[in-house]
Amino acid sequence: MLFPTALRRSSLLLFLGFSFAFARNAQTDPHRPLLTFNLVALDAKGGPLRDLAAAHLRIYDDGKLMPASFCRLLVTAQRQHPSLGPTENSNRPTGGNAQSTLILLDLLNSNSSERGLGWSEIARTLTRLPAGERVYVYLLTNEGSLYPILLLRDAASPAQARNAAQVPSLLDEAMRSLNRLRPWEFQKDGDARANQTVAALRSLASDFATLRGPKSLVWISRGIPAAITGRDGLLRDYTPVVSRLGTDLARSGIAVYAVDQADRRTDDLTGQDTPQQIAGLTGGQWLPVNATARAIEQAISDGAATFQIGYIPPADRWDDKFHHLRVTSANKGVRLRSIDGYFGDAREADPQQRLALAALGQADDSGIGIRAVVTPSQRMADWTHFQVRVDPADLELTPGETYTGEFTVSLTWFTTEWKRELSQEPPATLHFAAAQREAVMRDGVEFSVDRPIPAGARKIRIVVRDNQSSAVGSLTVLVPAAIEQPPVPPATTASLLK
């Protein structure tokens, strides 16, 4: 069986992961995975740096100096292809991306006075933000559930500005109804509360990760202890769990700005290390109590200074261990903030395992560039239309008087777990004259298909595999609302864009 049992999840799975690619250019090795991560670059005055070349970066992997493969600005990067359309998604950020900020007020790991402080700071800060900022607000309730104030889906709608203005009153209403004692199991069982906190963060981030552009999570919390004694009396070390959560968030381009919710002058320090650790692992920052406003404002401003870095680790780094990273610049006066390290998943080095991870694992894979528009089908009621554009520069094309190649597209969906069944389409065969090569490379290759999506599916992953080189790419998108249309036979097309 292609997809190993280890990839199966019985609960909500966060599709987080570094983007690994078999890139094809002079700066990369097609036989070793490419690691991508985000980096914030500021000039000597603390303003966003707009120009940063890969040649000026020094990457230290466990102390070993390594070169960067590429460096591109996320918000206004100038790429070979046109900017994304308003409803288009991509596994490679392009120009026109905007900063997104998700604010999570943690009620599960706080007392009543701490909740009120975070609540009031959020309300005051949002009233001062400029119109047009993409901001989403959630509460982590005492029951361990996520309570949306400004939804990820709704906030992208034309009503976003009105909703943002209503956040203070919506927060007031939510706090009145939710400000109660924790359930008994979360009061007496710190182990259960910690597990629920981690699960909630993964669940929320799974939707947040589908947005393109820089993404910041402002987590207002006292955190969870690094070591917890469960109801069975056994001490559990949560350091590996927190470390994997942090690297997973970073792998999806989410930087965490953790705001300490407790007054550490009079309180214990048992939970402080975990928010600091997650912030460092994601390239964000940890801020002390009463700094919610500063965290939100900094998270938004850092988006304009966020670059995506590509780097090929040594072959021996794919050993299922954590490796420390440090990035510096050869240019004087440049200040950089990046991730503290990465987890070297050994499965990324094997092409078959890598295909399984691209389809069912924790990450979208940018090994093959994909752009897609997903809409309700106009041909079949309750079906979904996929218009997928593949970057031919990432396909193995056989040259000659004509160029030939072949790739396949597969679909998988997300409800409470990534389903093991894949909808695999017939191979798309490419055949074009040498005179067309420049246009094909510029415009890409389009694949369109209408397919049914199971009830309850919230996200769909599009997987592209090059049948000649075994390179893969994947892109996760949200399921559009169904529109009733008269049924007509579905169509599948694969064409070169002219």
Side-chain angles (χ1 to χ4, degrees):
M1 183 175 294
L2 176 61
F3 303 111
T5 305
L7 293 177
R8 189 176 181 180
R9 298 289 187 270
S10 59
S11 59
L12 192 66
L13 176 66
L14 175 65
F15 54 95
L16 299 174
F18 284 105
S19 300
F20 297 97
F22 292 126
R24 291 168 174 74
N25 57 59
Q27 294 178 301
T28 58
D29 181 343
H31 302 294
R32 282 162 48 193
L34 176 74
L35 168 67
T36 65
F37 58 91
N38 288 354
L39 174 145
V40 174
L42 304 175
D43 60 26
K45 296 181 179 180
L49 197 66
R50 310 300 293 176
D51 186 21
L52 183 66
H56 297 157
L57 294 177
R58 296 166 176 166
I59 299 176
Y60 295 89
D61 187 336
D62 286 342
K64 182 179 180 180
L65 179 61
M66 300 292 294
S69 297
F70 65 78
C71 174
R72 51 182 175 238
L73 188 64
L74 283 183
V75 174
T76 59
Q78 297 299 317
R79 301 292 306 284
Q80 178 183 3
H81 300 297
S83 298
L84 294 176
T87 61
E88 192 172 19
N89 297 275
S90 175
N91 63 351
R92 290 180 180 169
T94 60
N97 294 320
Q99 161 72 16
S100 298
T101 305
L102 194 157
I103 302 169
L104 178 64
L105 178 58
D106 188 345
L107 308 182
L108 180 59
N109 299 286
S110 65
N111 57 42
S112 57
S113 63
E114 295 164 353
R115 296 166 193 162
L117 181 60
W119 157 36
S120 60
E121 281 198 84
I122 293 171
R124 285 197 305 270
T125 305
L126 292 185
T127 59
R128 302 196 303 263
L129 292 181
E133 295 290 351
R134 297 202 307 187
V135 177
Y136 316 96
V137 184
Y138 281 73
L139 304 178
L140 177 57
T141 72
N142 284 330
E143 288 77 22
S145 60
L146 292 166
Y147 186 98
I149 303 295
L150 195 57
L151 283 162
L152 280 163
R153 290 190 182 187
D154 294 349
S157 72
Q160 177 184 355
R162 184 183 68 249
N163 290 341
Q166 294 175 348
V167 165
S169 61
L170 293 173
L171 268 173
D172 287 348
E173 180 182 347
M175 293 298 291
R176 283 194 295 270
S177 62
L178 297 174
N179 197 14
R180 50 183 176 265
L181 293 176
R182 296 191 194 103
W184 181 255
E185 64 269 23
F186 290 149
Q187 289 188 48
K188 296 298 182 182
D189 189 347
D191 192 36
R193 190 168 74 249
N195 281 326
Q196 187 60 33
T197 301
V198 172
L201 286 169
R202 289 185 175 277
S203 174
L204 185 60
S206 69
D207 281 337
F208 195 29
T210 62
L211 302 182
R212 63 181 188 263
K215 296 176 283 289
S216 299
L217 170 61
V218 179
W219 181 31
I220 308 161
S221 175
R222 65 162 54 210
I224 59 176
I228 301 173
T229 301
R231 299 182 68 178
D232 55 7
L234 298 177
L235 184 66
R236 291 176 174 80
D237 181 9
Y238 268 79
T239 302
V241 175
V242 171
S243 176
R244 196 58 187 264
L245 173 62
T247 55
D248 283 349
L249 291 169
R251 289 168 178 174
S252 203
I254 299 174
V256 174
Y257 293 75
V259 182
D260 196 354
Q261 203 174 27
D263 186 349
R264 300 300 178 184
R265 295 170 300 179
T266 59
D267 203 353
D268 66 89
L269 302 176
T270 55
Q272 182 176 2
D273 288 346
T274 53
Q276 284 184 302
Q277 183 182 1
I278 291 175
L281 289 168
T282 61
Q285 281 198 312
W286 176 86
L287 296 97
V289 70
N290 296 332
T292 297
R294 181 153 58 97
I296 295 172
E297 291 165 357
Q298 183 174 345
I300 292 173
S301 66
D302 282 352
T306 300
F307 291 79
Q308 186 181 57
I309 309 301
Y311 154 64
I312 299 180
D316 61 2
R317 295 300 193 268
W318 308 110
D319 54 4
D320 289 331
K321 296 179 181 178
F322 182 81
H323 299 281
H324 294 275
L325 276 186
R326 183 170 63 91
V327 184
T328 64
S329 173
N331 297 334
K332 293 183 178 180
V334 174
R335 291 185 287 167
L336 305 179
R337 188 175 70 248
S338 186
I339 61 174
D340 288 344
Y342 66 98
F343 182 80
D345 193 333
R347 294 172 297 180
E348 295 291 347
D350 181 272
Q352 291 299 317
Q353 292 287 318
R354 201 166 154 262
L355 174 60
L357 289 172
L360 303 175
Q362 295 181 337
D364 277 350
D365 192 318
S366 64
I368 294 177
I370 304 171
R371 295 158 67 101
V373 176
V374 181
T375 56
S377 173
Q378 302 296 309
R379 302 174 62 86
M380 290 289 290
D382 298 325
W383 283 39
T384 298
H385 176 71
F386 299 86
Q387 183 175 335
V388 181
R389 187 176 300 186
V390 178
D391 189 344
D394 300 308
L395 303 176
E396 192 74 41
L397 301 176
T398 302
E401 292 186 3
T402 61
Y403 284 82
T404 59
E406 184 180 85
F407 66 90
T408 55
V409 176
S410 302
L411 305 175
T412 186
W413 54 88
F414 179 95
T415 51
T416 56
E417 62 180 82
W418 285 113
K419 299 298 182 182
R420 297 175 68 84
E421 299 82 7
L422 294 179
S423 169
Q424 183 162 315
E425 307 304 326
T429 301
L430 307 182
H431 187 89
F432 57 93
Q436 297 177 283
R437 185 180 186 277
E438 183 178 348
V440 170
M441 291 298 173
R442 180 189 67 240
D443 298 331
V445 179
E446 187 174 89
F447 181 95
S448 297
V449 64
D450 290 65
R451 290 292 179 262
I453 300 300
R458 297 192 296 111
K459 292 187 284 289
I460 306 162
R461 183 170 285 173
I462 303 164
V463 184
V464 176
R465 180 181 186 272
D466 179 16
N467 292 344
Q468 297 196 71
S469 69
S470 298
V472 295
S474 59
L475 169 65
T476 305
V477 297
L478 295 175
V479 176
I483 297 179
E484 294 291 334
Q485 297 288 346
V488 295
T492 302
T493 63
S495 61
L496 294 179
L497 301 183
K498 303 293 191 295

